Amino acid sequence: MTTPPAAIPHAAAEAYANPLLIRQLLVNPLRQSPDQTIVYRGEQRFTYRQLGERVARLGSALGRLGVRASDTVAVADWDSHRYLESYFAVPMIGAVLMSVNVRLSPDQIAYTVDHCEASTLLLHGDFLPLLAQIRARLPKLERVVLLSDTPVTTRPDGIDTDYEALLATGDPAHVFGDFDENTRATTFYTTGTTGMPKGVFFSHRQLVLHTLAVMGALASNPGGQNFNRGDVYMPITPMFHVHAWGMPYVATLLGVKQVYPGRYQPDLLLRLRSEEGVTFSHCVPTILQMLLDAPGSAGHDLRGWKMVIGGAAMTPALARAALGRGIDVFTGYGMSETCPIVALSQLRPGDAGADAHAARTSAYAAGKSAAEAAIGAGDITDAEVARRARTGHAVPLADLRIVDPDMNDAAHDDRAQGEVVVRTPWLTQGYLHAPDAARALWNGGWLHTQDIGRIDASGSLQITDRIKDVIKSGGEWISSLDLEALIARLPAVVEVAVIAVPDPKWSERPLPLVVLRAGAVCTADEVIAHLRVCAERGEISRFAVPTEVRFVEALERTSVGKLNKKRQREVALGR
Amino acid sequence: MTTPPAAIPHAAAEAYANPLLIRQLLVNPLRQSPDQTIVYRGEQRFTYRQLGERVARLGSALGRLGVRASDTVAVADWDSHRYLESYFAVPMIGAVLMSVNVRLSPDQIAYTVDHCEASTLLLHGDFLPLLAQIRARLPKLERVVLLSDTPVTTRPDGIDTDYEALLATGDPAHVFGDFDENTRATTFYTTGTTGMPKGVFFSHRQLVLHTLAVMGALASNPGGQNFNRGDVYMPITPMFHVHAWGMPYVATLLGVKQVYPGRYQPDLLLRLRSEEGVTFSHCVPTILQMLLDAPGSAGHDLRGWKMVIGGAAMTPALARAALGRGIDVFTGYGMSETCPIVALSQLRPGDAGADAHAARTSAYAAGKSAAEAAIGAGDITDAEVARRARTGHAVPLADLRIVDPDMNDAAHDDRAQGEVVVRTPWLTQGYLHAPDAARALWNGGWLHTQDIGRIDASGSLQITDRIKDVIKSGGEWISSLDLEALIARLPAVVEVAVIAVPDPKWSERPLPLVVLRAGAVCTADEVIAHLRVCAERGEISRFAVPTEVRFVEALERTSVGKLNKKRQREVALGR
């Protein structure tokens, strides 16, 4: 609630106190960049002026369709100009935007759309079969709007209207009103390894502050790993996933050209990068690897493409491969509960590699090839790679700590570890209809990430583990992620997961489960000897070196492809 | 008031809603840049770690001294590390920082310190004679703390303690608590041409949002006219003047090196620029002119010094002179009532001169001289100069309009004019104990700047006049500033002020009052003929060309050196 002017001593009765509303993010871009471009798949082009008109049409048309303030409007689409329009129009009428995770199972999708009590669903034609399958389980759903890349001539059963027909009924000059900045703007669901997805939620105030803080953090880094008015933006993290990391709001506020690629196809993504001049993106490591490995990838000049990598740890090997192609990769850290961004791993002035990177960037700008610009093992140092692959520095207004179970701070010496807990003005304040989970999330007044990390003297965080996966041995934490990264260096190893097994003396000990390359030979002793060398070099502590190694055929994974260490542990322990 | 978590559906009872408080601006810089430097006059050096400790000491010591939350603490100092510490510590204990404008008359200073009911005064030794003169008129003042650049051995009469002795009683580990983000953080007084100064006031929320928005706007411009983590900051706008344009908060949040120059002396400012490597500053045109004209100025390499110019219009001639020295000048717009920044005139990608500027910057970076980098009339175009001297683009969250008296918007065609009215989350909500002035300021729910301006298709504002100085002729506004700028082009003219005089047919007509260079000859007909040529070129409208010109010995000015058109008009009309 913004304090009414009347409550402020000496304030004028008519003084305007400016609630922080999403509509305000649009005011200046529409005035200052009216002719800037928004591209959909290279096939459709809109100006910001049209964006403003289409947002006004969508907002007013949804109202005429019967959507009320505080109603929930669910959207199931690939990354599109339509999604961007929904990011603004739905919250701007006081309704709640629910972004449907279309990668979930039909059961989970039905559960989430029903659980958030969506009255309205905007649905891409690709998902009509899914809708037919789950429609009966959505009793609260009152209307479905079809999203289509081509003109809709016949309306399928159960569809009330289509998006362009809906927009045609709207007012392009509709003026959006003000309301309480704590009004809910968005909600979406996050999946764990167990149970049904949980709903997180964010207010207008929270999204405006996330946008300002992320813009400030990204923009203020000189020489690279930044996002500024000269960039061209393309998301490669789905818009149904945590507001596409909040970047569409930042891009719009910056007034830059935006490119929405629809359903992700590596060849299209690479083509859009080249043809539309994309310079700023963000994605998970898997997508980055896919872009590097795609047929024809080598034919694209990727130099100078700034890319935030998050969602999972970027391995040094992947970072080096991307840097070798000239991609300016760096890490972003956050989760569904955190809106998401709380930290970024930009190379700061004086950091290892910052000068070398600036030199490479100048060389790129001068049109030199990677080889000419001396891109190679000699130029990109391990220290630079490690800096980019670190979790990074907290962004403005994010208060990020590593603590023991009693909430005492661990030292910032890059050795002491603790659970990462955080406060920022843009964290979910709970879970929808899940008070126990909400209470655990906010235990002690800090949001518990369930990540374990260490912090160095510059305040840079390095996540080392997940609480659920952590190994507590002789009172000390052993990082399963550190062990996995070191074991993965062995050429014979395809995959590795390190789990905790009970130990009478140490309480727990680490047990690596190793998948070998077909035909490769490697013994447990070789793995252990390798780790001893690593311990001598100080890369891990001596007590972290395991005494046992197990070789397996494959690792257990969850439905979304993440390692399932819980199940792994059950299998390994024969439960 | 931040909404308590309990009021948000599904929120955890312990969820932390993050009020926007000044203390949060310090959290990350202290963790991420603990060894960064704060320099005072080149004589004293502090780290950010020490800044944190001294802020904690000051806050806790003020409490022990008897300062309560909501008390007002006045500070009379030159630009110093102490002022920076006060910017944080005073609001962080819930008290209000009142920055004393030491350039006012003793009467006005006594009035303002008493009017804001300051209980405590932090006063530089330079102002002890002033204090002796006004002390009897400050009955609410309970204590005075002496600020000194050297150790204080004997305490003058009426001084309770000195700053370093006070800090010694404080706790360097003091933890500041939370409170309502709408708590008043600062207050200071703005002078008009008539009446006593008026007190404006700003909350924690407002200062945090101003900091984030200004940081985002300044940081996100590529290629120049920006402020980023690689810069070294030095204010050349006094810290008692509108939070030194809010830049000390931005600089601290960025974690950059900061240089505080004490009382402004041109040779010291230039020496600090060179010796401390200053790259980002802000000042009024008069100070910029002083730096360019100072003895020895030519011996300093000023290339790459980014400088925001505000407070008065930067003339194209001054902009060109600064650019010729390699200073990256651009305009900032705002006023005491607006915290202050609402617009900035950065060259945006594609703007006239943006590419040329980038080329010059690269040349500077490569160590080339201005001549080698082709700095000269041929390189710096009139279009680039005009862009830098424009008032500029609204910063994020600033909603800036030009309106007629009925609040209808004027067209954004760079011709139609209107009063500039504004909404941002960081505007004073009124004046202290001045309800009528507050009501006029906020008439219709928009803050009235009393400036007249036009806006171009890119949303860039150009201030053309002050409402009080405006000339309404035949229903059309004539810009006195435009006329003055054109007349000033004549070599014989030293100074010019254009005022409105009553006219039976046109209601008002413009009358230029011209001061000629000693010995120069120029007739009214020559001035009028010159303006007719300007009108033919489209620089002004035909009806703006005056039919009369008056030559005078000197122009009327206010106590702070601004043109006093009201008095000028009275003199010209023989009143």
Side-chain angles (χ1 to χ4, degrees):
Chain A
M1 190 85 60
T2 47
T3 302
I8 297 177
H10 310 288
E14 286 196 281
Y16 183 69
N18 276 75
L20 299 175
L21 295 174
I22 286 172
R23 75 162 187 84
Q24 291 163 333
L25 299 179
L26 265 185
V27 171
N28 283 325
L30 294 185
R31 283 195 195 136
Q32 298 175 11
S33 311
D35 300 315
Q36 185 58 278
T37 311
I38 295 161
V39 183
Y40 176 57
R41 288 179 71 85
E43 294 160 3
Q44 295 185 50
R45 277 162 204 279
F46 303 87
T47 61
Y48 272 41
R49 189 179 290 108
Q50 288 173 299
L51 168 67
E53 290 167 359
R54 289 169 62 90
V55 165
R57 283 180 180 279
L58 178 56
S60 55
L62 285 172
R64 288 174 196 181
L65 202 63
V67 176
R68 303 266 168 276
S70 86
D71 270 13
T72 295
V73 177
V75 177
D77 195 4
W78 309 112
D79 289 8
S80 70
H81 59 295
R82 297 174 298 253
Y83 226 135
L84 181 67
E85 290 153 15
S86 307
Y87 267 42
F88 286 98
V90 174
M92 280 161 67
I93 59 170
V96 183
L97 172 73
M98 189 284 210
S99 36
V100 179
N101 183 346
V102 298
R103 296 220 184 110
L104 296 180
S105 69
D107 272 2
Q108 287 176 313
I109 292 175
Y111 171 82
T112 59
V113 174
D114 185 60
H115 188 262
C116 73
E117 305 181 31
S119 71
T120 309
L121 174 63
L122 278 55
L123 179 104
H124 190 281
D126 286 0
F127 308 114
L128 282 169
L130 167 75
L131 181 65
Q133 200 177 341
I134 66 173
R135 185 66 185 88
R137 280 183 277 169
L138 305 173
K140 298 157 200 150
L141 189 65
E142 297 173 30
R143 57 191 79 85
V144 180
V145 178
L146 182 65
L147 310 176
S148 174
D149 293 354
T150 51
V152 176
T153 46
T154 55
R155 234 168 247 161
D157 279 353
I159 297 294
D160 297 86
T161 183
D162 71 86
Y163 190 75
E164 295 298 333
L166 179 68
L167 260 54
T169 70
D171 174 6
H174 176 74
V175 175
F176 293 89
D178 279 358
F179 39 76
D180 187 327
E181 68 187 27
N182 292 295
T183 301
R184 188 164 297 165
T186 65
T187 188
F188 52 86
Y189 285 75
T190 175
T191 48
T193 47
T194 56
M196 283 312 243
K198 294 196 293 290
V200 296
F201 48 87
F202 302 95
S203 68
H204 283 253
R205 170 187 165 102
Q206 292 185 308
L207 285 165
V208 169
L209 291 171
H210 183 264
T211 303
L212 284 179
V214 170
M215 175 181 174
L218 277 174
S220 57
N221 209 51
Q225 307 93 57
N226 55 28
F227 191 12
N228 62 54
R229 289 191 194 122
D231 280 315
V232 176
Y233 168 66
M234 178 169 75
I236 325 182
T237 313
M239 295 182 81
F240 58 74
H241 187 64
V242 207
H243 315 112
W245 299 358
M247 297 296 184
Y249 290 121
V250 177
T252 304
L253 188 58
L254 283 170
V256 300
K257 178 176 171 182
Q258 303 184 46
V259 181
Y260 289 92
R263 186 173 188 168
Y264 296 165
Q265 297 160 318
D267 57 334
L268 177 63
L269 293 171
L270 289 165
R271 191 160 58 74
L272 289 172
R273 143 72 187 175
S274 297
E275 293 177 1
E276 303 294 344
V278 172
T279 58
F280 182 83
S281 292
H282 46 84
C283 65
V284 296
T286 311
I287 296 273
L288 172 58
Q289 188 72 60
M290 189 186 81
L291 292 173
L292 295 175
D293 293 347
S297 171
H300 288 272
D301 180 354
L302 306 184
R303 295 176 302 155
W305 194 357
K306 296 177 282 191
M307 207 178 277
V308 186
I309 307 300
M314 171 166 61
T315 64
L318 180 58
R320 188 173 278 282
L323 288 167
R325 292 289 301 278
I327 305 178
D328 187 7
V329 284
F330 59 113
T331 301
Y333 171 65
M335 46 201 265
S336 295
E337 285 81 350
T338 63
C339 197
I341 294 183
V342 296
L344 292 165
S345 70
Q346 296 152 306
L347 297 180
R348 298 194 164 188
D351 270 358
D355 289 347
H357 171 77
R360 290 198 301 272
T361 303
S362 296
Y364 297 155
K368 289 184 188 167
S369 73
E372 286 165 340
I375 302 296
D379 183 29
I380 301 168
T381 64
D382 287 346
E384 175 182 344
V385 170
R387 204 75 199 164
R388 290 172 182 272
R390 272 189 85 93
T391 312
H393 288 101
V395 301
L397 302 194
D399 191 351
L400 197 153
R401 297 166 61 196
I402 46 172
V403 298
D404 70 16
D406 295 325
M407 296 296 285
N408 299 307
D409 285 281
H412 289 192
D413 58 7
D414 215 18
R415 300 169 61 90
Q417 298 186 70
E419 187 190 1
V420 179
V421 296
V422 65
R423 284 176 167 179
T424 82
W426 52 81
L427 307 177
T428 190
Q429 301 285 291
Y431 295 110
L432 293 178
H433 303 294
D436 292 346
R439 199 174 306 120
L441 180 70
W442 276 105
N443 186 26
W446 289 77
L447 186 143
H448 290 255
T449 65
Q450 305 235 41
D451 284 328
I452 302 293
R454 54 177 195 263
I455 294 180
D456 71 13
S458 84
S460 174
L461 174 69
Q462 175 68 61
I463 298 296
T464 55
D465 224 324
R466 292 282 302 156
I467 285 234
K468 285 177 196 148
D469 303 334
V470 84
I471 303 157
K472 197 81 180 265
S473 185
E476 298 289 342
W477 270 322
I478 293 174
S479 163
S480 63
L481 294 191
D482 279 355
L483 280 174
E484 288 164 10
L486 294 175
I487 294 169
R489 285 191 197 163
L490 293 169
V493 173
V494 173
E495 269 195 318
V496 55
V498 174
I499 60 168
V501 290
D503 182 277
K505 182 170 177 189
W506 301 105
S507 145
E508 287 184 341
R509 288 297 298 158
L511 174 65
L513 307 174
V514 175
V515 181
L516 291 180
R517 218 167 280 283
V521 178
C522 182
T523 65
D525 285 348
E526 283 168 2
V527 173
I528 292 167
H530 164 65
L531 292 175
R532 284 218 181 94
V533 173
C534 295
E536 277 161 27
R537 282 202 295 257
E539 295 182 276
I540 46 170
S541 56
R542 280 169 202 285
F543 64 80
V545 177
T547 48
E548 195 188 339
V549 174
R550 194 172 299 177
F551 296 94
V552 296
E553 290 296 309
L555 300 178
E556 300 288 330
R557 294 191 178 277
T558 69
S559 61
V560 291
K562 290 188 180 178
L563 273 184
N564 188 344
K565 290 208 179 171
K566 186 157 179 275
R567 178 76 195 121
Q568 203 80 60
R569 199 175 295 128
E570 289 166 356
V571 170
L573 298 174
R575 286 172 189 163
Chain B
M1 190 85 61
T2 49
T3 303
I8 298 177
H10 310 288
E14 287 194 280
Y16 183 69
N18 277 75
L20 299 175
L21 297 173
I22 286 174
R23 74 163 188 83
Q24 291 162 334
L25 299 178
L26 265 184
V27 170
N28 283 326
L30 295 184
R31 283 193 196 137
Q32 297 176 11
S33 311
D35 300 315
Q36 185 58 278
T37 310
I38 295 161
V39 183
Y40 176 57
R41 290 178 69 85
E43 294 160 4
Q44 294 186 49
R45 278 162 202 280
F46 304 87
T47 61
Y48 272 40
R49 189 180 291 107
Q50 287 173 299
L51 168 68
E53 290 167 358
R54 289 170 61 90
V55 165
R57 283 181 180 277
L58 178 56
S60 55
L62 285 173
R64 287 175 197 180
L65 202 62
V67 176
R68 304 266 167 275
S70 86
D71 270 13
T72 295
V73 177
V75 177
D77 195 5
W78 308 111
D79 289 7
S80 69
H81 59 294
R82 296 174 299 252
Y83 226 135
L84 181 68
E85 291 153 13
S86 307
Y87 267 42
F88 286 97
V90 174
M92 282 162 66
I93 60 170
V96 183
L97 172 73
M98 189 283 210
S99 36
V100 180
N101 184 345
V102 299
R103 297 218 185 111
L104 295 181
S105 68
D107 272 2
Q108 287 176 314
I109 293 176
Y111 171 82
T112 59
V113 174
D114 185 60
H115 188 261
C116 72
E117 305 180 30
S119 71
T120 309
L121 174 63
L122 278 55
L123 179 105
H124 190 282
D126 286 0
F127 307 114
L128 282 169
L130 168 76
L131 180 66
Q133 199 177 342
I134 66 173
R135 184 65 183 88
R137 280 184 277 169
L138 304 174
K140 298 158 201 151
L141 189 65
E142 296 173 30
R143 57 191 80 84
V144 181
V145 178
L146 182 66
L147 310 176
S148 174
D149 293 356
T150 51
V152 175
T153 46
T154 55
R155 234 169 249 161
D157 279 354
I159 296 296
D160 296 270
T161 182
D162 72 85
Y163 190 76
E164 295 298 332
L166 178 70
L167 260 55
T169 69
D171 174 6
H174 177 73
V175 175
F176 293 88
D178 278 357
F179 40 75
D180 187 328
E181 68 188 25
N182 292 296
T183 301
R184 187 164 299 164
T186 64
T187 189
F188 52 85
Y189 285 76
T190 175
T191 48
T193 46
T194 56
M196 283 312 246
K198 294 196 293 288
V200 295
F201 48 87
F202 302 95
S203 68
H204 283 254
R205 170 187 167 103
Q206 291 184 309
L207 285 164
V208 169
L209 291 171
H210 183 265
T211 303
L212 285 178
V214 170
M215 175 180 172
L218 276 174
S220 57
N221 209 51
Q225 308 92 54
N226 56 27
F227 191 12
N228 63 53
R229 288 188 195 125
D231 280 315
V232 176
Y233 167 67
M234 179 169 74
I236 326 184
T237 313
M239 296 181 81
F240 58 73
H241 186 65
V242 207
H243 315 114
W245 299 359
M247 297 298 184
Y249 289 121
V250 177
T252 304
L253 188 58
L254 284 170
V256 300
K257 179 176 170 182
Q258 302 183 49
V259 181
Y260 289 91
R263 186 173 189 168
Y264 296 165
Q265 298 160 319
D267 57 333
L268 176 64
L269 293 171
L270 289 165
R271 190 160 60 73
L272 289 172
R273 144 72 187 176
S274 297
E275 292 178 2
E276 304 294 344
V278 172
T279 59
F280 182 84
S281 293
H282 46 85
C283 64
V284 294
T286 311
I287 295 273
L288 172 58
Q289 188 72 61
M290 187 185 82
L291 291 173
L292 295 175
D293 293 346
S297 172
H300 288 272
D301 180 355
L302 306 184
R303 294 176 303 155
W305 192 358
K306 296 178 282 191
M307 208 178 278
V308 187
I309 306 299
M314 170 166 61
T315 64
L318 179 58
R320 187 172 278 283
L323 288 166
R325 293 288 302 277
I327 305 178
D328 188 6
V329 284
F330 59 114
T331 301
Y333 172 66
M335 44 202 267
S336 295
E337 285 82 351
T338 64
C339 197
I341 293 182
V342 296
L344 292 165
S345 71
Q346 297 153 304
L347 298 180
R348 297 192 164 190
D351 270 359
D355 289 347
H357 172 75
R360 289 198 301 272
T361 305
S362 297
Y364 298 155
K368 290 184 187 164
S369 72
E372 286 165 339
I375 302 295
D379 183 30
I380 301 167
T381 64
D382 287 346
E384 174 182 345
V385 170
R387 204 76 198 161
R388 290 173 182 270
R390 271 188 87 91
T391 312
H393 288 99
V395 301
L397 302 195
D399 191 351
L400 195 153
R401 298 166 62 198
I402 46 172
V403 297
D404 70 16
D406 295 325
M407 297 297 285
N408 299 307
D409 284 280
H412 289 192
D413 58 7
D414 214 19
R415 299 171 61 91
Q417 298 185 68
E419 187 189 2
V420 179
V421 297
V422 64
R423 285 177 166 179
T424 82
W426 52 80
L427 307 178
T428 190
Q429 300 287 291
Y431 296 110
L432 293 178
H433 303 293
D436 292 345
R439 198 174 307 120
L441 181 70
W442 277 104
N443 185 27
W446 290 77
L447 185 142
H448 290 256
T449 65
Q450 307 235 42
D451 284 328
I452 302 292
R454 53 178 194 262
I455 294 181
D456 71 13
S458 84
S460 175
L461 173 70
Q462 175 69 60
I463 298 295
T464 55
D465 226 325
R466 292 280 304 155
I467 284 237
K468 286 178 199 149
D469 304 333
V470 84
I471 303 157
K472 198 82 179 266
S473 185
E476 297 289 339
W477 271 322
I478 293 175
S479 164
S480 63
L481 293 190
D482 279 357
L483 281 174
E484 287 163 9
L486 296 174
I487 295 169
R489 284 191 199 161
L490 293 169
V493 172
V494 173
E495 267 194 319
V496 54
V498 174
I499 60 168
V501 290
D503 183 277
K505 180 171 180 190
W506 302 105
S507 143
E508 287 184 342
R509 289 299 298 160
L511 173 65
L513 306 174
V514 175
V515 181
L516 291 180
R517 218 169 282 285
V521 178
C522 182
T523 66
D525 284 349
E526 282 168 4
V527 172
I528 292 166
H530 163 67
L531 292 174
R532 284 219 182 94
V533 173
C534 295
E536 276 160 29
R537 281 202 295 257
E539 296 181 276
I540 46 171
S541 55
R542 280 169 203 283
F543 64 81
V545 177
T547 48
E548 195 189 339
V549 174
R550 193 173 300 177
F551 295 94
V552 296
E553 291 295 309
L555 300 177
E556 300 288 329
R557 295 191 176 277
T558 70
S559 62
V560 293
K562 290 188 179 176
L563 273 185
N564 188 346
K565 292 209 180 170
K566 186 157 178 276
R567 179 75 196 120
Q568 202 81 60
R569 200 176 296 128
E570 289 165 356
V571 170
L573 298 175
R575 287 173 191 164

